[in-house]
Amino acid sequence: MAVRQRDPKSTRSALLDAAADLFAKRGFDGTTIDAIAKQARVNKAMISYHFGGKRGLYGALLSEILTNMAARLEAVRAWDAPPEQRMVAFIAAFREVVRVQPVAPQIMLREVISGGRHVDRKILPNFLAIFTVLQGILEQGTREGKFRPVNPVLTQIGLVGSLMFFFATETFRKRIVREIGVDAGSMDAEDYIRHWRDMMLGGLAVRPVAGFPVPVDSGPSQGDE
Amino acid sequence: MAVRQRDPKSTRSALLDAAADLFAKRGFDGTTIDAIAKQARVNKAMISYHFGGKRGLYGALLSEILTNMAARLEAVRAWDAPPEQRMVAFIAAFREVVRVQPVAPQIMLREVISGGRHVDRKILPNFLAIFTVLQGILEQGTREGKFRPVNPVLTQIGLVGSLMFFFATETFRKRIVREIGVDAGSMDAEDYIRHWRDMMLGGLAVRPVAGFPVPVDSGPSQGDE
DNA sequence: ACACATCAACCAACCGGTTGATTCAACCAA
DNA sequence: TTGGTTGAATCAACCGGTTGGTTGATGTGT
């Protein structure tokens, strides 16, 4: 058997990388510690030794993702620029988060769908930090007459939801294209970011445009369930 | 012990209801068949007997959700109206899907995050059906000069993502409000639908508005990883 | 010499599914 | 109408495999 390599930093890093990949693909419950250890090429006892077990490893990963995300968006908070540009920068910063940590959307999405059952109370403020960056941009936009007034929470949910959804569903989209043959056009991340930048700025624009707002019809008749 | 109740329709219905609730909350791997059977008040052997096992039960549930969703949006396809109103109706129809089946967003989101590993090839066309409804609305809008040209796939991803994200994260949002005390304002579903209706129509509007399109700045300087 | 990191093997609990027995509703011939 | 049969539905108990975590031994760097 190979000589033992003794390098705790490298062991921890390998475990976090393997955990990131597998938790993103299969979720917390769908991932075994045997699978993580095997992919990390490390003895599975190291998970208990270094992280306190499966939940500890997952918590460490989650914390890393959230603090990295909050830190990156923090740069946008401090930036003194017109609100449209800050909005664009917010979206771009989000993109950078994903470039640096491609597993973040999948892991974060699973977590919030489950009600945050693995989210330690200590890292909840990161969510608030992210929210207040966007809130500040929206307030500045309204104050400067560039954005119409909107509910910042609903705007945040919609924006973050659409961004995370895009990145988290890449594998599934590729399957749809392959098995059904949709003419998808570009599904490039940069195109998506550009698209949603335009949608957001258009959606926040102050003056009414042609056909907006639209008088609401009741829509096609539908049976109740 | 109580007399045996013999009612296969009721048994299947109870199992599907319990499965819907638990799969939405905990995901496929995080839900045990013991938990499903207990909540349905049914012997767990019934899962194998009626559905062929855990995966069969989950597949039946997924199929029910997707065909219901596709059918409801189908009504919008057939509706002859201006594109703005059809877009509004599309969003409203989506809302109705969730009203009728509150577990749909969580289950669908988990599934597409995992690359659709439990999605049978047979029900994939439902995704295409949903996509082509929106594609038709966008094409009509462009043709009639009401919408600017956009990539329908990217628009679909963004819209569906933001809608599903909202509904799927209700539990988590409530936790955030409770534990951090965000002044969230309204997080009512109807307010959200109205909000995203306005965002979508504004984002699709044809004529440039003040401040749009915005010249792109490089944003605040950020370290590369 | 010692503390830390690592290992192979082990363990109790859990899991999805199966099994043989039992119950029961529908059916049928007398 | 009645008694017997039959197949479907249901049950409690069981099973082999898997799981997260532990353990005592071993190797290694300071």
mmCIF file of all heavy atoms in Angstrom, chain A residues 66-67 69-71 73-74 77 90 123-136 156, chain B residues 176 180 182:
data_model
loop_
_atom_site.group_PDB
_atom_site.id
_atom_site.type_symbol
_atom_site.label_atom_id
_atom_site.label_comp_id
_atom_site.label_asym_id
_atom_site.label_seq_id
_atom_site.Cartn_x
_atom_site.Cartn_y
_atom_site.Cartn_z
ATOM 1 N N LEU A 66 -21.640 31.058 1.118
ATOM 2 C CA LEU A 66 -22.399 32.253 1.476
ATOM 3 C C LEU A 66 -21.511 33.437 1.782
ATOM 4 O O LEU A 66 -21.815 34.569 1.375
ATOM 5 C CB LEU A 66 -23.305 31.954 2.665
ATOM 6 C CG LEU A 66 -24.763 31.819 2.285
ATOM 7 C CD1 LEU A 66 -25.535 31.181 3.418
ATOM 8 C CD2 LEU A 66 -25.356 33.178 1.940
ATOM 9 N N THR A 67 -20.417 33.187 2.513
ATOM 10 C CA THR A 67 -19.557 34.324 2.850
ATOM 11 C C THR A 67 -18.850 34.841 1.598
ATOM 12 O O THR A 67 -18.666 36.051 1.440
ATOM 13 C CB THR A 67 -18.550 33.962 3.948
ATOM 14 O OG1 THR A 67 -17.859 32.775 3.579
ATOM 15 C CG2 THR A 67 -19.264 33.720 5.271
ATOM 16 N N MET A 69 -20.125 34.749 -1.439
ATOM 17 C CA MET A 69 -21.170 35.452 -2.186
ATOM 18 C C MET A 69 -21.412 36.846 -1.610
ATOM 19 O O MET A 69 -21.428 37.851 -2.328
ATOM 20 C CB MET A 69 -22.455 34.622 -2.132
ATOM 21 C CG MET A 69 -23.576 35.127 -3.017
ATOM 22 S SD MET A 69 -25.033 34.027 -2.928
ATOM 23 C CE MET A 69 -24.456 32.641 -3.915
ATOM 24 N N ALA A 70 -21.545 36.910 -0.277
ATOM 25 C CA ALA A 70 -21.818 38.193 0.380
ATOM 26 C C ALA A 70 -20.647 39.152 0.180
ATOM 27 O O ALA A 70 -20.843 40.340 -0.080
ATOM 28 C CB ALA A 70 -22.083 37.967 1.861
ATOM 29 N N ALA A 71 -19.430 38.631 0.280
ATOM 30 C CA ALA A 71 -18.239 39.468 0.133
ATOM 31 C C ALA A 71 -18.170 40.081 -1.268
ATOM 32 O O ALA A 71 -17.858 41.262 -1.441
ATOM 33 C CB ALA A 71 -16.988 38.647 0.412
ATOM 34 N N LEU A 73 -20.621 40.630 -3.418
ATOM 35 C CA LEU A 73 -21.668 41.610 -3.643
ATOM 36 C C LEU A 73 -21.437 42.868 -2.812
ATOM 37 O O LEU A 73 -21.936 43.953 -3.142
ATOM 38 C CB LEU A 73 -23.047 40.990 -3.347
ATOM 39 C CG LEU A 73 -23.434 39.860 -4.312
ATOM 40 C CD1 LEU A 73 -24.710 39.161 -3.866
ATOM 41 C CD2 LEU A 73 -23.616 40.399 -5.738
ATOM 42 N N GLU A 74 -20.672 42.708 -1.747
ATOM 43 C CA GLU A 74 -20.337 43.848 -0.887
ATOM 44 C C GLU A 74 -19.611 44.933 -1.677
ATOM 45 O O GLU A 74 -19.747 46.122 -1.398
ATOM 46 C CB GLU A 74 -19.469 43.358 0.281
ATOM 47 C CG GLU A 74 -19.386 44.305 1.456
ATOM 48 C CD GLU A 74 -20.731 44.578 2.096
ATOM 49 O OE1 GLU A 74 -21.647 43.735 1.949
ATOM 50 O OE2 GLU A 74 -20.881 45.649 2.709
ATOM 51 N N ARG A 77 -21.991 47.327 -3.087
ATOM 52 C CA ARG A 77 -22.586 48.258 -2.134
ATOM 53 C C ARG A 77 -21.794 49.550 -2.064
ATOM 54 O O ARG A 77 -22.352 50.643 -1.987
ATOM 55 C CB ARG A 77 -22.621 47.619 -0.736
ATOM 56 C CG ARG A 77 -23.403 48.450 0.282
ATOM 57 C CD ARG A 77 -23.072 48.072 1.724
ATOM 58 N NE ARG A 77 -23.285 46.664 2.016
ATOM 59 C CZ ARG A 77 -24.468 46.127 2.282
ATOM 60 N NH1 ARG A 77 -25.540 46.883 2.290
ATOM 61 N NH2 ARG A 77 -24.590 44.846 2.539
ATOM 62 N N PHE A 90 -24.355 44.517 -9.963
ATOM 63 C CA PHE A 90 -24.888 43.504 -9.036
ATOM 64 C C PHE A 90 -25.060 42.177 -9.767
ATOM 65 O O PHE A 90 -24.638 41.117 -9.297
ATOM 66 C CB PHE A 90 -26.227 43.987 -8.472
ATOM 67 C CG PHE A 90 -26.852 43.046 -7.482
ATOM 68 C CD1 PHE A 90 -26.620 43.195 -6.125
ATOM 69 C CD2 PHE A 90 -27.686 42.014 -7.907
ATOM 70 C CE1 PHE A 90 -27.206 42.324 -5.204
ATOM 71 C CE2 PHE A 90 -28.258 41.140 -6.996
ATOM 72 C CZ PHE A 90 -28.010 41.300 -5.639
ATOM 73 N N ILE A 123 -25.012 31.969 9.919
ATOM 74 C CA ILE A 123 -24.732 32.459 8.566
ATOM 75 C C ILE A 123 -25.972 33.078 7.899
ATOM 76 O O ILE A 123 -25.899 33.541 6.766
ATOM 77 C CB ILE A 123 -24.124 31.373 7.664
ATOM 78 C CG1 ILE A 123 -25.026 30.140 7.562
ATOM 79 C CG2 ILE A 123 -22.745 30.986 8.179
ATOM 80 C CD1 ILE A 123 -24.425 29.055 6.657
ATOM 81 N N LEU A 124 -27.099 33.110 8.611
ATOM 82 C CA LEU A 124 -28.292 33.765 8.068
ATOM 83 C C LEU A 124 -28.053 35.232 7.722
ATOM 84 O O LEU A 124 -28.579 35.704 6.711
ATOM 85 C CB LEU A 124 -29.454 33.654 9.062
ATOM 86 C CG LEU A 124 -30.260 32.355 9.078
ATOM 87 C CD1 LEU A 124 -31.426 32.477 10.038
ATOM 88 C CD2 LEU A 124 -30.766 31.996 7.685
ATOM 89 N N PRO A 125 -27.288 35.981 8.523
ATOM 90 C CA PRO A 125 -27.067 37.395 8.182
ATOM 91 C C PRO A 125 -26.471 37.619 6.794
ATOM 92 O O PRO A 125 -26.627 38.710 6.232
ATOM 93 C CB PRO A 125 -26.129 37.876 9.289
ATOM 94 C CG PRO A 125 -26.456 36.996 10.450
ATOM 95 C CD PRO A 125 -26.736 35.653 9.840
ATOM 96 N N ASN A 126 -25.826 36.613 6.232
ATOM 97 C CA ASN A 126 -25.311 36.765 4.869
ATOM 98 C C ASN A 126 -26.436 37.004 3.868
ATOM 99 O O ASN A 126 -26.269 37.733 2.897
ATOM 100 C CB ASN A 126 -24.525 35.523 4.445
ATOM 101 C CG ASN A 126 -23.162 35.444 5.128
ATOM 102 O OD1 ASN A 126 -22.287 36.247 4.848
ATOM 103 N ND2 ASN A 126 -23.012 34.506 6.033
ATOM 104 N N PHE A 127 -27.562 36.356 4.105
ATOM 105 C CA PHE A 127 -28.715 36.573 3.226
ATOM 106 C C PHE A 127 -29.185 38.023 3.315
ATOM 107 O O PHE A 127 -29.512 38.658 2.312
ATOM 108 C CB PHE A 127 -29.857 35.618 3.602
ATOM 109 C CG PHE A 127 -29.596 34.200 3.235
ATOM 110 C CD1 PHE A 127 -29.051 33.315 4.157
ATOM 111 C CD2 PHE A 127 -29.874 33.734 1.965
ATOM 112 C CE1 PHE A 127 -28.803 31.988 3.822
ATOM 113 C CE2 PHE A 127 -29.628 32.412 1.623
ATOM 114 C CZ PHE A 127 -29.083 31.537 2.541
ATOM 115 N N LEU A 128 -29.209 38.517 4.548
ATOM 116 C CA LEU A 128 -29.633 39.900 4.758
ATOM 117 C C LEU A 128 -28.658 40.863 4.090
ATOM 118 O O LEU A 128 -29.062 41.846 3.468
ATOM 119 C CB LEU A 128 -29.719 40.181 6.259
ATOM 120 C CG LEU A 128 -30.208 41.578 6.643
ATOM 121 C CD1 LEU A 128 -31.603 41.815 6.097
ATOM 122 C CD2 LEU A 128 -30.193 41.730 8.157
ATOM 123 N N ALA A 129 -27.367 40.543 4.192
ATOM 124 C CA ALA A 129 -26.350 41.394 3.587
ATOM 125 C C ALA A 129 -26.564 41.500 2.076
ATOM 126 O O ALA A 129 -26.510 42.582 1.489
ATOM 127 C CB ALA A 129 -24.960 40.848 3.891
ATOM 128 N N ILE A 130 -26.818 40.349 1.452
ATOM 129 C CA ILE A 130 -27.055 40.338 0.009
ATOM 130 C C ILE A 130 -28.299 41.162 -0.335
ATOM 131 O O ILE A 130 -28.306 41.951 -1.287
ATOM 132 C CB ILE A 130 -27.205 38.880 -0.490
ATOM 133 C CG1 ILE A 130 -25.879 38.137 -0.356
ATOM 134 C CG2 ILE A 130 -27.704 38.861 -1.938
ATOM 135 C CD1 ILE A 130 -26.006 36.621 -0.474
ATOM 136 N N PHE A 131 -29.333 40.978 0.462
ATOM 137 C CA PHE A 131 -30.589 41.692 0.213
ATOM 138 C C PHE A 131 -30.383 43.209 0.302
ATOM 139 O O PHE A 131 -30.887 43.954 -0.542
ATOM 140 C CB PHE A 131 -31.659 41.233 1.206
ATOM 141 C CG PHE A 131 -32.871 42.122 1.210
ATOM 142 C CD1 PHE A 131 -33.719 42.174 0.117
ATOM 143 C CD2 PHE A 131 -33.148 42.937 2.306
ATOM 144 C CE1 PHE A 131 -34.832 43.012 0.105
ATOM 145 C CE2 PHE A 131 -34.255 43.766 2.307
ATOM 146 C CZ PHE A 131 -35.092 43.815 1.206
ATOM 147 N N THR A 132 -29.659 43.657 1.313
ATOM 148 C CA THR A 132 -29.550 45.108 1.511
ATOM 149 C C THR A 132 -28.721 45.782 0.417
ATOM 150 O O THR A 132 -28.884 46.976 0.173
ATOM 151 C CB THR A 132 -28.973 45.461 2.901
ATOM 152 O OG1 THR A 132 -27.708 44.812 3.060
ATOM 153 C CG2 THR A 132 -29.924 45.022 4.007
ATOM 154 N N VAL A 133 -27.852 45.033 -0.257
ATOM 155 C CA VAL A 133 -27.137 45.628 -1.392
ATOM 156 C C VAL A 133 -28.144 46.033 -2.471
ATOM 157 O O VAL A 133 -28.143 47.164 -2.944
ATOM 158 C CB VAL A 133 -26.094 44.641 -1.979
ATOM 159 C CG1 VAL A 133 -25.488 45.208 -3.260
ATOM 160 C CG2 VAL A 133 -25.001 44.341 -0.963
ATOM 161 N N LEU A 134 -28.994 45.091 -2.839
ATOM 162 C CA LEU A 134 -29.990 45.385 -3.883
ATOM 163 C C LEU A 134 -30.982 46.447 -3.424
ATOM 164 O O LEU A 134 -31.365 47.338 -4.184
ATOM 165 C CB LEU A 134 -30.742 44.107 -4.273
ATOM 166 C CG LEU A 134 -31.690 44.283 -5.469
ATOM 167 C CD1 LEU A 134 -30.899 44.487 -6.749
ATOM 168 C CD2 LEU A 134 -32.629 43.104 -5.602
ATOM 169 N N GLN A 135 -31.378 46.344 -2.163
ATOM 170 C CA GLN A 135 -32.318 47.329 -1.606
ATOM 171 C C GLN A 135 -31.741 48.750 -1.758
ATOM 172 O O GLN A 135 -32.454 49.675 -2.143
ATOM 173 C CB GLN A 135 -32.565 47.009 -0.134
ATOM 174 C CG GLN A 135 -33.641 47.853 0.512
ATOM 175 C CD GLN A 135 -33.836 47.477 1.977
ATOM 176 O OE1 GLN A 135 -32.894 47.064 2.643
ATOM 177 N NE2 GLN A 135 -35.043 47.657 2.476
ATOM 178 N N GLY A 136 -30.458 48.893 -1.452
ATOM 179 C CA GLY A 136 -29.801 50.193 -1.580
ATOM 180 C C GLY A 136 -29.798 50.705 -3.011
ATOM 181 O O GLY A 136 -30.035 51.888 -3.258
ATOM 182 N N GLN A 156 -35.873 41.291 -5.304
ATOM 183 C CA GLN A 156 -34.743 40.420 -4.967
ATOM 184 C C GLN A 156 -35.066 38.965 -5.259
ATOM 185 O O GLN A 156 -34.267 38.246 -5.856
ATOM 186 C CB GLN A 156 -34.412 40.592 -3.475
ATOM 187 C CG GLN A 156 -33.544 39.507 -2.868
ATOM 188 C CD GLN A 156 -32.094 39.859 -2.803
ATOM 189 O OE1 GLN A 156 -31.683 40.833 -3.412
ATOM 190 N NE2 GLN A 156 -31.324 39.082 -2.060
ATOM 191 N N ILE B 176 -36.387 33.514 7.577
ATOM 192 C CA ILE B 176 -35.543 34.710 7.525
ATOM 193 C C ILE B 176 -36.223 35.875 8.251
ATOM 194 O O ILE B 176 -35.606 36.560 9.074
ATOM 195 C CB ILE B 176 -35.276 35.136 6.068
ATOM 196 C CG1 ILE B 176 -34.387 34.127 5.359
ATOM 197 C CG2 ILE B 176 -34.670 36.527 6.003
ATOM 198 C CD1 ILE B 176 -32.910 34.390 5.491
ATOM 199 N N ILE B 180 -34.290 36.970 11.517
ATOM 200 C CA ILE B 180 -33.470 38.166 11.320
ATOM 201 C C ILE B 180 -34.321 39.431 11.463
ATOM 202 O O ILE B 180 -33.806 40.507 11.733
ATOM 203 C CB ILE B 180 -32.819 38.163 9.925
ATOM 204 C CG1 ILE B 180 -31.995 36.888 9.733
ATOM 205 C CG2 ILE B 180 -31.919 39.362 9.739
ATOM 206 C CD1 ILE B 180 -31.047 36.960 8.567
ATOM 207 N N VAL B 182 -36.294 40.910 9.011
ATOM 208 C CA VAL B 182 -36.333 41.790 7.845
ATOM 209 C C VAL B 182 -37.702 42.446 7.745
ATOM 210 O O VAL B 182 -38.730 41.788 7.945
ATOM 211 C CB VAL B 182 -36.106 40.967 6.542
ATOM 212 C CG1 VAL B 182 -36.271 41.851 5.311
ATOM 213 C CG2 VAL B 182 -34.749 40.312 6.578
#
